[in-house]
Amino acid sequence: MASGERIFVQAIRRYCADHGIAVDVRAGGWLITMRRGEARHFAFGYDIGLNSAIAHRLANDKSATAEALTLEGVPCVPHHLSLNPKLGKNVVGPSWRDAMLELLHDHPQGVVVKPNEGTSGRSVFKVTTEAELDHATSDVFSMSTGLVISPYVEIEEEVRVVLLGDVPLIVYSKQRGTDWRHNLDAGAKPVLLEDGEARADRAKLAIDAARAIGIVFASIDLVRVDGKWRVLEINSGVMMEALGKLHPELVQAAYDAALDRVFGEK
């Protein structure tokens, strides 16, 4: 096992070793081929291939996810899409900045600007002024074809649910550190939720969200705002690096269950 490999890659190696599956790790661990007999399966990034192409694309698009959840009546945090003006006026339209300014003016407490696709809280900005908005949009558009704007809300609690079908494999809260964000990469700490009513309620909302976009294996971020729970994001790639350092057996079991589904074990 290569030193410094991601926990995701280590988990796949262990599963394949235990099940007589040949594994070939390429591109620094970002592309993995798994072979057993004539069967061949790929893992790419943090995606093991259980989700349909359309569910994967919806989950990776924050604006599309919010629209799909709203259509199904699943409470969620709004994500308003703005396309990069470099795509051209015929695609973006002439009033893209006016639309963003209107959103900012409608939410005097501020808005959050971030890439429409992406994870780990990178290039995420809290914006309260036009100057901050211009800085944020310039940064995001330098690396992305689109951004989303959400109203800034005081998050009282955030929970992540790792789902396989309708089964909540892992449910944990993110204990925020000094940063205003709850991203694990920004210093938040994962704390497992024990079995009980709270865990069951969070799992039910996550299951409703997963069904709304037809996703099978995902991690779903939920936030409590003004005492009410809603969906923040759905992640098609299930990343559990921070959690795996604290609860390696639990994370291995979750990936094992998903890989069993890939190889038709259960």
Side-chain angles (χ1 to χ4, degrees), residues 139-181:
D139 184 281
V140 176
F141 281 152
S142 71
M143 54 175 283
S144 176
T145 58
L147 61 77
V148 284
I149 299 179
S150 300
Y152 175 77
V153 293
E154 291 288 345
I155 295 176
E156 299 157 352
E157 185 179 357
E158 181 169 343
V159 166
R160 173 168 288 181
V161 181
V162 177
L163 280 180
L164 179 61
D166 287 347
V167 178
L169 300 176
I170 302 174
V171 183
Y172 63 91
S173 66
K174 299 180 184 180
Q175 300 293 319
R176 184 173 58 193
T178 57
D179 195 284
W180 60 272
R181 298 168 296 170

Side-chain angles (χ1 to χ4, degrees), residues 14-229:
R14 291 192 183 99
Y15 180 89
C16 291
D18 291 343
H19 292 79
I21 299 168
V23 60
D24 189 1
V25 177
R26 299 294 182 92
W30 293 100
L31 175 63
I32 304 173
T33 303
M34 298 168 282
R35 296 177 184 269
R36 184 166 64 184
E38 297 297 318
R40 181 182 67 170
H41 299 280
F42 291 102
F44 184 73
Y46 286 95
D47 189 342
I48 63 170
L50 277 178
N51 300 320
S52 69
I54 189 63
H56 173 76
R57 291 194 66 182
L58 284 171
N60 283 350
D61 187 302
K62 297 178 178 64
S63 174
T65 294
E67 294 285 0
L69 294 177
T70 300
L71 284 172
E72 293 300 313
V74 179
C76 66
V77 175
H79 286 74
H80 303 279
L81 177 65
S82 181
L83 294 175
N84 195 321
K86 292 180 181 179
L87 294 174
K89 291 183 178 180
N90 290 336
V91 175
V92 179
S95 59
W96 60 272
R97 188 173 183 275
D98 291 338
M100 289 195 294
L101 287 173
E102 184 175 351
L103 286 169
L104 177 60
H105 295 155
D106 287 345
H107 299 92
Q109 79 280 11
V111 296
V112 175
V113 177
K114 56 188 174 181
N116 188 38
E117 299 183 11
T119 59
S120 301
R122 296 181 178 88
S123 292
V124 177
F125 299 90
K126 180 184 176 183
V127 168
T128 57
T129 67
E130 290 189 22
E132 290 175 346
L133 179 64
D134 288 338
H135 170 73
T137 56
S138 177
D139 184 281
V140 176
F141 281 152
S142 71
M143 54 175 283
S144 176
T145 58
L147 61 77
V148 284
I149 299 179
S150 300
Y152 175 77
V153 293
E154 291 288 345
I155 295 176
E156 299 157 352
E157 185 179 357
E158 181 169 343
V159 166
R160 173 168 288 181
V161 181
V162 177
L163 280 180
L164 179 61
D166 287 347
V167 178
L169 300 176
I170 302 174
V171 183
Y172 63 91
S173 66
K174 299 180 184 180
Q175 300 293 319
R176 184 173 58 193
T178 57
D179 195 284
W180 60 272
R181 298 168 296 170
H182 283 73
N183 301 88
L184 298 176
D185 281 359
K189 303 297 182 183
V191 178
L192 295 176
L193 266 66
E194 302 294 335
D195 289 340
E197 184 177 350
R199 187 183 191 276
D201 287 347
R202 304 301 89 79
K204 173 62 167 59
L205 177 55
I207 291 168
D208 289 344
R211 288 176 176 173
I213 69 167
I215 203 163
V216 176
F217 185 47
S219 62
I220 300 177
D221 291 337
L222 313 174
V223 293
R224 179 164 57 89
V225 178
D226 294 331
K228 297 181 180 179
W229 285 93

